[in-house]
Amino acid sequence: MPLSEHEQRLFEQIERSLAEDPKFASAVRASDPRFHARRRVLVAAGVVIAGLALLIYGAVIKTPPLAVAGFVVMLASLGYAVQSHRRSQSPDLHVVGGTTSRRTRGRTGRRGSFLDRMEDRWRQRPEGHR
């Protein structure tokens, strides 16, 4: 439901007053889920590098279990980084002031999107073809 003109003016006034408060802005920035998702991606990248170093070190000293452990660490942190990146791109993580438009995805979309598309096709079918 759209806001009335009076409500829109009040909303804009509240936005302006909140934007002028630097303490509030830093608190909102710190509670932004996208900020935490980016931080997790950076930490995971560091762990990938550590896993790669462990893999190389294990190969150089000819200790296969150490090299395999390095590979497992590297692979697990890569998976964690990809998962964190995907979560940071999801539309439900946008904070106040962010966009609320839903992104359309291709074949790599969410699990339910296939069923949603099939339901839409079913609703849009011609009435004579059942």
Side-chain angles (χ1 to χ4, degrees):
M1 174 162 51
L3 298 175
S4 69
E5 288 182 35
H6 177 68
E7 291 171 332
Q8 287 178 349
R9 279 183 290 183
L10 285 174
F11 185 67
E12 289 171 2
Q13 183 182 10
I14 292 169
E15 278 184 330
R16 280 192 303 272
S17 66
L18 290 176
E20 294 171 358
D21 187 9
K23 195 175 193 180
F24 178 75
S26 66
V28 169
R29 195 175 303 116
S31 66
D32 183 1
R34 294 176 294 173
F35 173 77
H36 296 295
R38 280 186 224 119
R39 188 180 61 198
R40 284 192 298 268
V41 168
L42 291 175
V43 168
V47 175
V48 165
I49 292 170
L52 182 63
L54 192 62
L55 172 79
I56 292 171
Y57 181 70
V60 167
I61 65 168
K62 297 179 182 168
T63 309
L66 190 62
V68 169
F71 179 75
V72 168
V73 166
M74 188 175 61
L75 191 64
S77 61
L78 255 173
Y80 183 72
V82 168
Q83 180 184 15
S84 294
H85 179 69
R86 284 185 181 165
R87 283 184 183 170
S88 73
Q89 300 298 320
S90 75
D92 56 342
L93 285 183
H94 292 286
V95 295
V96 174
T99 60
T100 57
S101 63
R102 186 174 199 132
R103 296 180 186 157
T104 57
R105 298 182 183 198
R107 293 181 184 204
T108 61
R110 291 186 174 172
R111 188 175 187 194
S113 66
F114 174 74
L115 291 176
D116 293 338
R117 286 193 313 259
M118 298 313 291
E119 287 177 6
D120 289 341
R121 287 180 185 171
W122 179 257
R123 283 188 215 110
Q124 295 173 359
R125 75 189 188 286
E127 289 300 319
H129 297 102
R130 288 191 183 205

